[in-house]
Amino acid sequence: MAFPKVGNIAPAFTLLDQDGNKVSLKDFRDKSNVVLYFYPKAMTPGCTVQACGIRDSKAALKKAKTVVLGVSPDPVARLGRFIDKQDLNFTLLSDEDHKITDKYGCWGLKKFMGVLRTSFIIGKDGRLKHVMDKVKTKSHHEDVLALIKELGL
């Protein structure tokens, strides 16, 4: 499946967060930019490094009027434990049936079928501004901030 096209309205979704609350992409429209990042599994080494980088960039992301939403096929309870264990300060969303992950073109074959680590930068207008399909877990947060600045968001 292909990624959504840059310039188009980002595909709508509503998923449960780590506390079991519904979160929709439309909740952020006209309020903030969104970094929507798909990751394979909470509490694994690469995903933890990536999440902690985002956690530590909270002030810079807030200054850039950007919220981060992490999406994985983990159940809600596991996401809550991940947030507690790593003291994460952003929203994680559960996509157990990988319906939204598939909608964004991030479900595919690696060594097995699973989440292809990908990030999407969505503007306040709801349009997809950039697709990051070569994500490096260690520098993801820096790369995101650089792109937001480069895109003038």
Side-chain angles (χ1 to χ4, degrees):
M1 178 159 217
F3 297 132
K5 188 178 177 193
V6 170
N8 287 354
I9 295 290
F13 64 82
T14 299
L15 292 169
L16 295 179
D17 71 6
Q18 67 276 354
D19 300 318
N21 300 313
K22 287 183 178 181
V23 175
S24 299
L25 182 58
K26 68 181 178 187
D27 298 341
F28 304 96
R29 190 84 177 260
D30 298 323
K31 295 177 191 156
S32 56
N33 303 308
V34 175
V35 173
L36 182 66
Y37 86 98
F38 293 84
Y39 65 98
K41 190 172 184 180
M43 296 189 271
T44 56
C47 295
T48 298
V49 165
Q50 185 176 17
C52 289
I54 293 167
R55 174 198 67 202
D56 297 345
S57 299
K58 177 80 171 180
L61 288 161
K62 185 176 181 179
K63 187 177 178 185
K65 295 179 176 53
T66 301
V67 298
V68 176
L69 304 173
V71 180
S72 75
D74 294 302
V76 168
R78 184 174 176 92
L79 297 178
R81 289 193 303 275
F82 189 31
I83 283 190
D84 291 344
K85 186 173 183 179
Q86 299 302 328
D87 196 27
L88 301 180
N89 52 15
F90 61 94
T91 302
L92 297 178
L93 302 172
S94 175
D95 186 25
E96 286 190 81
D97 62 4
H98 58 82
K99 185 177 168 187
I100 303 308
T101 306
D102 200 33
K103 196 178 200 179
Y104 273 82
C106 300
W107 185 261
L109 186 62
K110 304 186 292 185
K111 291 180 181 173
F112 51 88
M113 290 301 286
V115 176
L116 305 172
R117 194 181 302 274
T118 312
S119 294
F120 299 86
I121 297 177
I122 302 165
K124 291 178 192 173
D125 60 359
R127 294 193 178 277
L128 184 58
K129 304 296 183 184
H130 191 83
V131 178
M132 299 171 65
D133 62 342
K134 301 285 191 254
V135 174
K136 296 177 186 148
T137 57
K138 289 181 182 176
S139 64
H140 179 248
H141 57 290
E142 295 164 343
D143 299 339
V144 161
L145 286 165
L147 274 166
I148 289 168
K149 186 175 181 179
E150 183 182 314
L151 293 166
L153 298 177

